[in-house]
């Protein structure tokens, strides 16, 4: 299906790094951006969208989501998860399989990528799994995915790497194959010790049981071992200011180490998380103190991390509402990504809107090699988000398109909800309307699977 040639006129364009006022943008039949300028005149056969000063942004790139497909679609699935993505302004996801079957072989990953055509509403680039079982087949994953996921700490669907020798073997093999590692960094021993020491209320404080030191020590170890074996390391969902600084310092020292945080570590703090009903803010790593939130905001504001990924991880509310120890970690958030990042900028003097939006567009696109995505530039995919920054709304969890229909942000007032979203030049989402048929395609290395079909 071809794109509809369209002229977008008179908007505030965000090119991936900065806003350009009163600017026009043209997209062509091929679904890419063909012209950016001012005073552009409509051509014959071209549709015109008058933006009247609203924002035109590149489709957001969410580099960390769990859509549970295949294997656990009762909790989510690409059809519903990607509908949530469009609602949040996201047009590309990098997705992590954290339920069986893990993506440990080329055949499994190739099958997943092929099966999602006609189901995903957004473009997708699933990660492979870096586990001991995947070591003999790791070379098959290179060329299919942007990176391979390694759980250094136990979390949903993963027990974590049991010791440093195992971590070293995994990192060594990734280095030999030449594939980037994306890591969940929390130290199991430190978490076990915290659990053994917990008294009274501490036994149900997630930030006590998964403490700052667990993440910081794990990041420190991961950076050291990656350096020793020559592996390329990206640390996911950094929840501590110190962890973020370690990553930024290693990169500044010339080591190929990068990292992202998640919106909840920039929005909430441990007290708010502990007070939240039904364990809605229970997530791994835990949400830390307000000082850590402030430190992470500073790192994102200064561009010292490679951006933000949601860690969208849905569970049915009846499971979250169990007693603390039995409630699963993770919550849905992709449906609100753009408004949440704008809220972070609004709440933080140091954080510009530009830094907040770049952290979910060009920064993660560049980090994971998706150079067609995350920017408004000639030749880039026409993945576009039209949003009115002045329009405020109150989050109603029951209306969010992803599967679980609850949100820790329910009742919060936000702004800049996407009105319309285009994917490669086709309008695929209009707020409040029935979605278009799924048109997502594999991107990045995953696109090679499409060429085979
Ligand atoms: Zn995750």
């Amino acid at each position: 299906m071809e794109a509809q040639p369209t002229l977008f006129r008179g908007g505030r364009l965000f090119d991936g790094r900065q806003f350009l006022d009163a600017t026009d943008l043209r997209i062509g039949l091929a679904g890419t951006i063909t012209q950016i300028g001012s005073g552009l005149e409509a051509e014959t056969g071209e549709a015109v969208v008058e933006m009247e000063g609203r924002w035109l942004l590149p489709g957001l790139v969410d580099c960390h989501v769990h859509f549970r497909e295949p294997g656990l679609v009762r909790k989510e699935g690409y059809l519903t998860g990607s509908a949530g993505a469009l609602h949040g302004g996201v047009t590309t996801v990098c997705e992590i399989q954290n339920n069986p079957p893990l993506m440990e072989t080329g055949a499994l990953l190739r099958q997943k990528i092929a099966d999602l055509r006609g189901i995903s509403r957004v473009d997708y680039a699933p990660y492979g799994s870096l586990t001991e079982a995947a070591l003999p087949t790791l070379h098959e994953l290179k060329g299919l995915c942007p990176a391979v996921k390694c759980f250094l700490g136990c979390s949903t669907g993963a027990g974590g790497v049991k010791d440093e020798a195992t971590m070293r073997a995994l990192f060594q093999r990734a280095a030999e194959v030449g594939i980037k590692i994306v890591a969940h960094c929390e130290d199991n021993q430190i978490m076990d010790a915290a659990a053994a020491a917990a008294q009274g209320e501490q036994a149900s404080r997630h930030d006590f049981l998964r403490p700052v030191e667990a993440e910081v020590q794990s990041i420190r170890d991961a950076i050291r071992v990656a350096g020793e074996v020559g592996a390329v390391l990206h640390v996911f969902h950094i929840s501590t200011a110190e962890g973020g600084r370690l990553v930024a310092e290693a990169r500044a020292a010339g080591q190929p180490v990068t990292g992202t945080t998640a919106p909840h570590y920039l929005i909430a703090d441990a007290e708010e998380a502990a007070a939240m009903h039904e364990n809605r803010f229970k997530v791994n790593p835990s949400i830390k103190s307000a000082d850590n939130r402030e430190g992470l905001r500073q790192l994102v504001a200064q561009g010292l991390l490679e951006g933000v990924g949601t860690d969208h991880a849905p569970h049915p509310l009846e499971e979250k509402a169990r007693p603390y120890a039995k409630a699963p970690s993770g919550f849905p958030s992709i449906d609100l990504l753009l408004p949440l990042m704008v809220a972070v900028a609004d709440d933080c003097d140091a954080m510009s809107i530009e830094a907040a939006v770049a952290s979910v567009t060009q920064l993660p696109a560049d980090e994971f090699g998706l150079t067609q995505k995350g920017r408004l530039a000639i030749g880039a995919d026409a993945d576009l988000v039209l949003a009115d920054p002045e329009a405020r709304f109150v989050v109603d969890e029951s209306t969010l398109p992803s599967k679980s229909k609850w949100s820790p942000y329910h009742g919060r007032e936000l702004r800049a909800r996407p009105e319309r979203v285009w994917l490669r030049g086709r309008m695929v989402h209009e707020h409040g309307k029935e979605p278009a048929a799924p048109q997502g395609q594999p991107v990045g290395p995953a696109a090679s699977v499409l060429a085979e079909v």
Side-chain angles (χ1 to χ4, degrees):
M1 195 175 109
E2 288 179 331
Q4 162 69 49
T6 305
L7 176 64
F8 294 80
R9 207 152 48 185
R12 193 155 189 250
L13 264 61
F14 183 74
D15 68 2
R17 297 210 171 266
Q18 58 185 336
F19 277 105
L20 311 167
D21 281 323
T23 304
D24 310 327
L25 178 144
R26 169 168 277 137
I27 63 180
L29 270 180
T32 56
I33 297 167
T34 56
Q35 199 174 7
I36 296 173
S38 53
L40 302 186
E41 295 294 331
E43 293 172 356
T44 311
E46 196 171 51
V48 177
V49 174
E50 299 289 354
M51 297 188 283
E52 298 169 333
R54 285 171 293 172
W55 288 353
L56 190 68
L57 313 174
L60 274 50
V61 175
D62 190 344
C63 64
H64 190 142
V65 305
H66 302 282
F67 281 173
R68 319 285 201 210
E69 182 166 359
L72 205 54
V73 292
R74 74 178 174 83
K75 291 199 173 191
E76 185 62 280
Y78 262 83
L79 190 66
T80 47
S82 62
L86 292 174
H87 186 276
V90 176
T91 52
T92 303
V93 295
C94 302
E95 192 259 355
I96 299 157
Q97 181 86 18
N98 68 341
N99 55 265
L102 296 181
M103 293 295 123
E104 291 166 332
T105 70
L108 278 166
L109 189 52
R110 205 173 255 117
Q111 188 70 51
K112 169 166 171 152
I113 291 165
D115 287 350
L116 292 173
R117 294 193 67 206
I119 295 177
S120 183
R121 302 177 185 282
V122 299
D123 286 352
Y124 54 96
Y127 296 108
S129 301
L130 177 57
T131 61
E132 287 180 87
L135 287 180
T137 44
L138 202 66
H139 61 284
E140 299 172 4
L141 301 175
K142 185 177 160 73
L144 290 175
C145 57
V148 285
K149 175 72 185 284
C150 180
F151 286 89
L152 292 178
C154 63
S155 191
T156 307
V161 169
K162 63 179 183 294
D163 53 31
E164 184 166 316
T166 309
M167 170 168 51
R168 186 176 300 273
L170 297 178
F171 282 23
Q172 174 95 50
R173 183 74 188 126
E176 285 164 8
V177 167
I179 194 164
K180 181 184 283 192
I181 299 162
V182 285
H184 176 132
C185 285
E186 283 184 291
D187 186 286
N188 278 337
Q189 285 181 351
I190 293 176
M191 293 192 288
D192 289 347
Q199 296 183 346
E201 197 184 279
Q202 291 169 339
S204 57
R205 281 287 298 226
H206 206 51
D207 60 320
F208 183 88
L209 298 170
R210 303 184 80 106
V212 168
E213 307 79 65
E215 177 175 281
V216 170
Q217 187 60 46
S218 179
I219 290 177
R220 191 175 284 128
D221 291 340
I223 290 173
R224 173 173 50 79
V225 172
E228 286 166 10
V229 303
V232 179
L233 174 69
H234 178 101
V235 181
F236 267 149
H237 49 51
I238 299 171
S239 67
T240 61
E242 180 62 18
R245 279 193 287 272
L246 288 172
V247 167
E249 283 166 16
R251 189 189 49 178
Q255 195 180 336
V257 173
T258 49
T260 38
T261 183
H264 37 280
Y265 305 121
L266 303 172
I267 291 170
D269 65 27
E271 298 312 315
E272 189 180 354
M276 174 65 76
H277 50 99
E278 296 158 319
N279 304 295
R280 288 175 176 220
F281 265 138
K282 182 181 179 187
V283 62
N284 303 337
S286 61
I287 294 172
K288 308 296 195 299
S289 68
D291 285 353
N292 281 288
R293 175 180 61 189
E294 185 55 31
L296 287 166
R297 286 177 170 185
Q298 296 294 333
L299 288 166
V300 172
Q302 294 165 32
L304 293 174
L305 294 177
E306 280 60 40
V308 168
T310 57
D311 202 4
H312 175 82
H315 302 279
L317 187 56
E318 57 269 26
E319 293 185 17
K320 289 293 278 185
R322 292 170 186 159
Y324 165 78
K326 297 228 155 92
S329 291
F331 51 84
S333 47
I334 201 169
D335 312 68
L336 296 167
L337 183 54
L338 176 62
L340 288 174
M341 292 311 301
V342 172
V344 172
D346 287 346
D347 194 44
C348 174
D349 289 342
M351 177 97 67
S352 62
I353 296 280
E354 287 87 341
V357 181
S359 75
V360 286
T361 53
Q362 190 165 337
L363 281 171
D366 286 349
E367 172 66 11
F368 292 105
L370 305 172
T371 51
Q372 286 293 104
K373 304 296 189 185
R375 73 209 67 216
L376 301 185
I378 310 289
D381 285 352
D383 299 346
L384 307 171
V385 176
L386 184 65
D388 180 355
E390 304 310 322
R392 310 193 75 87
F393 68 102
V394 174
V395 176
D396 175 353
E397 60 192 3
S398 70
T399 66
L400 301 178
S402 73
K403 197 161 202 167
S404 38
K405 306 297 172 204
W406 62 271
S407 169
Y409 305 110
H410 179 66
R412 206 175 272 250
E413 188 180 283
L414 298 172
R415 67 183 182 111
R417 178 171 57 199
E419 288 177 11
R420 281 187 267 172
V421 179
W422 288 257
L423 177 66
R424 281 175 279 101
R426 301 155 183 93
M427 195 177 77
V428 289
H429 171 81
E430 184 168 9
H431 183 71
K433 300 263 177 73
E434 277 295 301
Q439 293 169 53
Q441 292 191 359
V443 290
S448 63
V449 174
L450 189 62
E452 293 167 12
V453 175

